[in-house]
Amino acid sequence: MREDLGMAIADLKRDLVIEAVTQRSAQGEDPLAILEECRHGMTIVGDRFARGDYYLAELMLSAQVFNMAAGILEPYLSRARPSKPQGKVVLSTLKGDIHDLGKNILASLLRAQGFEVFDLGVDVTPDRIVDKVKEVRPELVGFSALMTGSYPTMKETSQMLKDSGLRGGLKLMVGGGVTTPMVKEYLDADFQTLDALAGVEYCLSVVGGGRK
Amino acid sequence: MTGGSLTPDERVSAAVRLEKPDRVPVVPLVTAESAAGLAGITQAQINSDTNAALAATLKVFDEVGGWDSLFGGGVSTVAQRQAINMYPMKGLTPGKDIADNDVFQLVEEEVLLPEDYDKICEMGADRFYHEDYLWRIATFTPQEQPKVKEELKAVSRRYRTEFEKRGIGPFHVTAEMHPFFRLSLMRSMVRFTEDLYFNPEPVERALKAITEELISKQVHIAKKSGVARWMFVEERASAFFYPLSVFERFWWPYTEEVVDAFWAEGIVTIFHLDSCWDKNISYFRRLPKGSAIIELDSTTDIFRAKESLSGHLCILGDVPATLLSLGKPEEVEDYCKKLIDEVGGNGGFILSSGCAVPPDCKPENFRAMIETARNYESSRR
């Protein structure tokens, strides 16, 4: 059954996944076990992407299917025992930019790997990020960008994290269409990528976890 | 623009014909947003006053001593772009919805509904847009529409006249989004991708209808414009996003059909290709020799693209936006020299920004790009 649900997610059989998760959770199966099967499906998706068999479209669609399954499980999970997250990540698209496709894919993939993701949305100001970092103490902070105009806000946020003494306790990553190693250097960030899955691998390497 | 024995038009035309001109032409994509940044006025100003946008563009052009051809849609506001079906999305306007110096933003949300695919087929794409869809996204009322369009016409006339005085012609007059890109923007990327994978038939019907209409209208308009080039925009169909199976089914056949129809009238298609097309580039060899220009935004490997398309299609690009924003003039100069040597070596190359010049481009970096094109080759002779 683990293979069936996982494979259904990996093969993007959306209706089948929804039906199976709805039925099995209503029948009283352990929601954490069902979620684990869904995560296994996302690992298969990741492997296919890494081999070049899957593209961003399939990553995006599988993330959608996973989110639907997680949404169905949510009421059952809240009654089940809490599980310790792999780690905490704060994500945002900064002020001056409202593009969120890449960020949303990364957020879904991280959740599928057991991370607790605090997605602050788009057009986010530096102080909101600093406040959230103070509140949740994440291992990682991620900036997403499709517009060069958000570079100064990213730089300001990076500096504010340093000035608040928060930067040492976390890794800063940046991704999105206009980012390059030059942007990583400009921000004094730890990691840059255009590839959502590479972002997941980096987060896992930071927290010392492996893909589920 | 000085720096060679040919006129700017002759230089550009030679490169498009795959020849090696007196020097590599430089044709940056300078939008009103780019010009505002370079001229030091706010994004809000150019969105409330197209005369200010035109003045900024002329100031930038004159200060750097000009470039070889006018690339892009001239100057226009978010509302004007919606009115002429240039941006089929909701927009956030600087000074109104967002801060004065934020660049306008397009809102990625589901506006086109699944049932609209067949509505497009029944009504025709243009009629559907102007009679129905526009009023789901417009920042103006139907009563205001004639004024919005008239203001755009007036500033476009002034734009062309001002540049004619400077001896510079348009690189193209007409431009259209690829039907695939258009539907993705209208429907939103996630919803559109779901449609492609889970319910593809209505998408295919709409792609076919939009393609037929595009050919029947735009070939005629491009021919009448007197400029034998037109611009075809696609930012989402590459293998960065989709597998080749999707590309081959939903993009390439319509593309070939469109290019062939324009080329039959001697009109060259300028492909504006954002994102990484490394895995798709070889398909463009199937197009007739000289029938297209491939514009790359720096995420595609332009040097490998040159190897693939050398002697077949002209390439245009690709000084990266980030280099223009954050780099130093000497870094921009080095990159331009590399492009001129390696991509321009045997002709068929036009130097340009990778996509539009970013609004936060450093003026000294913009100047470095233009001046390297103007002086580098002659300095080696």
Side-chain angles (χ1 to χ4, degrees):
Chain A
M1 203 58 198
R2 174 184 161 88
E3 284 303 314
D4 288 349
L5 183 56
M7 286 307 288
I9 287 199
D11 292 339
L12 309 174
K13 292 180 178 163
R14 183 177 61 178
D15 296 345
L16 198 69
V17 171
I18 292 168
E19 192 187 330
V21 173
T22 305
Q23 271 184 13
R24 288 172 54 186
S25 49
Q27 284 164 1
E29 273 195 46
D30 179 3
L32 280 170
I34 301 172
L35 186 66
E36 200 55 37
E37 290 177 42
C38 295
R39 285 177 173 161
H40 177 64
M42 292 304 286
T43 298
I44 299 171
V45 168
D47 291 341
R48 289 180 183 178
F49 185 81
R51 282 200 308 268
D53 296 336
Y54 264 12
Y55 289 70
L56 195 60
E58 285 99 356
L59 269 191
M60 188 167 68
L61 292 179
S62 61
Q64 290 287 109
V65 176
F66 177 85
N67 286 345
M68 284 178 186
I72 297 166
L73 289 169
E74 185 54 40
Y76 301 95
L77 285 167
S78 59
R79 294 197 293 267
R81 66 184 187 280
S83 59
K84 193 175 179 305
Q86 287 255 30
K88 294 177 188 172
V89 185
V90 171
L91 296 179
S92 49
T93 300
L94 278 82
K95 195 173 176 320
D97 194 349
I98 61 166
H99 295 90
D100 61 2
L101 187 69
K103 173 180 66 58
N104 292 349
I105 293 172
L106 178 65
S108 297
L109 295 177
L110 286 173
R111 286 189 182 110
Q113 288 301 323
F115 281 87
E116 190 171 5
V117 178
F118 301 88
D119 183 349
L120 303 186
V122 299
D123 203 27
V124 179
T125 53
D127 55 334
R128 271 193 65 207
I129 296 169
V130 173
D131 288 348
K132 186 50 99 177
V133 170
K134 279 181 187 162
E135 179 195 334
V136 303
R137 299 286 166 165
E139 286 86 357
L140 293 119
V141 169
F143 300 157
S144 177
L146 202 70
M147 313 274 284
T148 58
S150 62
Y151 292 161
T153 322
M154 288 189 192
K155 178 90 173 164
E156 186 187 342
T157 312
S158 172
Q159 191 57 47
M160 281 172 70
L161 288 169
K162 283 180 190 166
D163 295 345
S164 321
L166 298 164
R167 180 66 179 84
L170 58 84
K171 296 291 183 189
L172 180 61
M173 53 183 180
V174 59
V178 292
T179 67
T180 64
M182 185 179 266
V183 178
K184 173 180 169 259
E185 196 182 320
Y186 173 71
L187 300 177
D188 194 20
D190 299 292
F191 180 73
Q192 177 273 328
T193 186
L194 301 181
D195 175 345
L197 203 68
V200 173
E201 296 291 353
Y202 177 70
C203 293
L204 286 168
S205 74
V206 168
V207 299
R211 270 209 280 150
K212 294 197 173 186
Chain B
M1 183 184 183
T2 56
S5 55
L6 301 178
T7 66
D9 271 348
E10 289 168 344
R11 184 173 298 125
V12 169
S13 298
V16 174
R17 289 193 306 267
L18 305 169
E19 294 164 11
K20 192 168 168 57
D22 55 342
R23 64 163 175 75
V24 162
V26 58
V27 182
L29 182 45
V30 178
T31 62
E33 287 74 19
S34 325
L38 288 167
I41 64 169
T42 68
Q43 297 295 320
Q45 279 175 283
I46 55 146
N47 264 286
S48 60
D49 178 3
T50 46
N51 287 322
L54 176 57
T57 309
L58 293 170
K59 180 173 185 258
V60 171
F61 185 89
D62 292 340
E63 278 183 0
V64 297
W67 47 89
D68 286 308
S69 194
L70 299 173
F71 190 14
V75 294
S76 50
T77 64
V78 173
Q80 288 166 343
R81 291 167 192 181
Q82 288 175 333
I84 59 165
N85 197 358
M86 187 172 159
Y87 286 162
M89 296 171 91
K90 289 181 185 170
L92 302 180
T93 304
K96 199 168 132 199
D97 310 306
I98 50 180
D100 278 8
N101 224 9
D102 282 352
V103 181
F104 83 93
Q105 304 265 319
L106 296 174
V107 181
E108 180 89 22
E109 66 177 37
E110 179 184 2
V111 178
L112 191 85
L113 301 171
E115 56 269 29
D116 290 326
Y117 287 122
D118 283 335
K119 224 169 167 180
I120 290 171
C121 300
E122 286 155 22
M123 293 177 70
D126 207 38
R127 206 180 128 221
F128 169 75
Y129 182 84
H130 288 287
E131 291 182 13
D132 182 335
Y133 184 88
L134 175 59
W135 308 112
R136 306 180 197 178
I137 60 167
T139 50
F140 51 88
T141 65
Q143 291 72 34
E144 290 165 332
Q145 191 184 15
K147 190 173 170 243
V148 171
K149 282 185 165 178
E150 196 41 56
E151 281 174 358
L152 178 60
K153 268 188 196 165
V155 76
S156 299
R157 275 195 297 270
R158 286 200 300 280
Y159 180 87
R160 210 163 158 171
T161 308
E162 284 295 337
F163 280 103
E164 273 168 9
K165 284 186 210 162
R166 289 160 173 80
I168 298 297
F171 191 43
H172 61 97
V173 173
T174 58
E176 265 285 344
M177 284 176 183
H178 193 288
F180 183 98
F181 184 40
R182 175 171 293 285
L183 289 175
S184 178
L185 292 177
M186 294 163 90
R187 183 96 177 91
S188 84
M189 188 169 204
V190 174
R191 296 283 95 81
F192 183 62
T193 304
E194 287 174 344
D195 296 342
L196 293 174
Y197 280 74
F198 304 133
N199 190 21
E201 288 79 15
V203 182
E204 284 187 308
R205 287 197 290 274
L207 287 171
K208 191 168 181 295
I210 300 171
T211 302
E212 283 172 6
E213 190 171 321
L214 187 159
I215 290 170
S216 72
K217 289 187 177 168
Q218 290 295 334
V219 173
H220 173 69
I221 296 171
K223 212 172 149 185
K224 216 173 129 191
S225 77
V227 178
R229 294 179 292 267
W230 80 295
M231 185 177 179
F232 203 22
V233 180
E234 177 58 68
E235 299 178 5
R236 294 185 172 183
S238 74
F240 179 77
F241 295 104
Y242 294 102
L244 292 177
S245 55
V246 167
F247 174 82
E248 286 175 355
R249 178 173 171 185
F250 298 98
W251 200 82
W252 185 253
Y254 305 100
T255 304
E256 274 191 311
E257 202 181 327
V258 169
V259 172
D260 286 347
F262 278 87
W263 188 234
E265 299 292 341
I267 301 165
V268 175
T269 298
I270 306 161
F271 280 98
H272 176 87
L273 300 177
D274 281 0
S275 79
C276 181
W277 291 74
D278 286 347
K279 292 183 179 173
N280 310 82
I281 277 292
S282 61
Y283 284 80
F284 291 88
R285 277 201 73 84
R286 299 181 192 176
L287 299 175
K289 182 177 175 178
S291 64
I293 299 164
I294 305 299
E295 184 209 344
L296 303 171
D297 75 346
S298 84
T299 42
T300 300
D301 184 335
I302 197 168
F303 303 98
R304 277 179 53 201
K306 177 66 177 184
E307 282 172 25
S308 178
L309 300 175
S310 182
H312 194 74
L313 297 177
C314 176
I315 293 178
L316 185 147
D318 73 345
V319 184
T322 296
L323 184 59
L324 291 169
S325 297
L326 299 181
K328 296 176 187 146
E330 51 272 29
E331 291 171 320
V332 173
E333 187 182 329
D334 286 348
Y335 187 73
C336 291
K337 285 178 178 173
K338 186 170 153 70
L339 286 173
I340 291 168
D341 289 339
E342 296 181 26
V343 188
N346 64 345
F349 173 62
I350 298 171
L351 181 68
S352 182
S353 47
C355 195
V357 173
D360 56 348
C361 173
K362 291 177 187 165
E364 60 270 29
N365 286 348
F366 184 71
R367 180 178 288 278
M369 176 172 67
I370 302 295
E371 289 188 347
T372 306
R374 191 185 296 150
N375 303 325
Y376 174 53
E377 288 164 284
S378 62
S379 71
R380 289 184 310 178
R381 285 179 196 128

